[in-house]
Amino acid sequence: MDTPTPFPLFPEDLMVLNAEEKPFFDASAEGRFLLKSCNECGKAHWYPRAACPFCHSIDTCWITGSGRGAVLSWTVMRRAKVPYALAYVTLEEGPSMMSNIVECDLDTLRVGMPVELVFGQANGVVVPRFRPVRVDGA
């Protein structure tokens, strides 16, 4: 019998990394969360790409993300073998990214819920996930 995974797996053909994403996934494998930021307008952006989506400058750099954010929207995939949450998380740095919310009762998710970064694996690639912020070491 297969052991169920708490994370949805990505098809292998979707996990082809390009040169723009490679530093992000390399850092994730080391437990570091990187974002792209524009040196011209100063805005952070997600997903990693060379040109700023706000001012179109190619003067961008990698910054270390805080790993903190808040749930913007979510859905729970209850028909999966193991139910999981897919959510948009608005990062402290500004951009919103799609990820999974893990390590919680899925019925407790709320818009605005503070979350923090945890890394998980999908098909051997380390990817960012989020869990509710733990209060008082809970």
Side-chain angles (χ1 to χ4, degrees), residues 41-107:
C41 71
K43 293 182 180 179
H45 56 270
W46 180 262
Y47 64 92
R49 55 194 175 269
C52 174
F54 302 106
C55 72
H56 309 292
S57 171
I58 58 170
D59 185 12
T60 63
C61 64
W62 291 100
I63 61 170
T64 300
S66 67
R68 293 182 300 270
V71 173
L72 175 65
S73 177
W74 83 96
T75 188
V76 176
M77 310 307 275
R78 296 192 188 277
R79 291 188 179 193
K81 286 183 181 179
V82 177
Y84 64 93
L86 186 61
Y88 275 103
V89 171
T90 300
L91 303 171
E92 279 188 351
E93 293 79 9
S96 294
M97 67 180 289
M98 186 180 289
S99 187
N100 293 106
I101 306 297
V102 297
E103 300 180 25
C104 70
D105 176 349
L106 301 178
D107 292 326

Side-chain angles (χ1 to χ4, degrees), residues 5 7 36 56 77 124 126 128:
T5 177
F7 305 123
K36 274 299 200 115
H56 309 292
M77 310 307 275
V126 178

Side-chain angles (χ1 to χ4, degrees), residues 33 50 117:
F33 181 58
L117 178 77

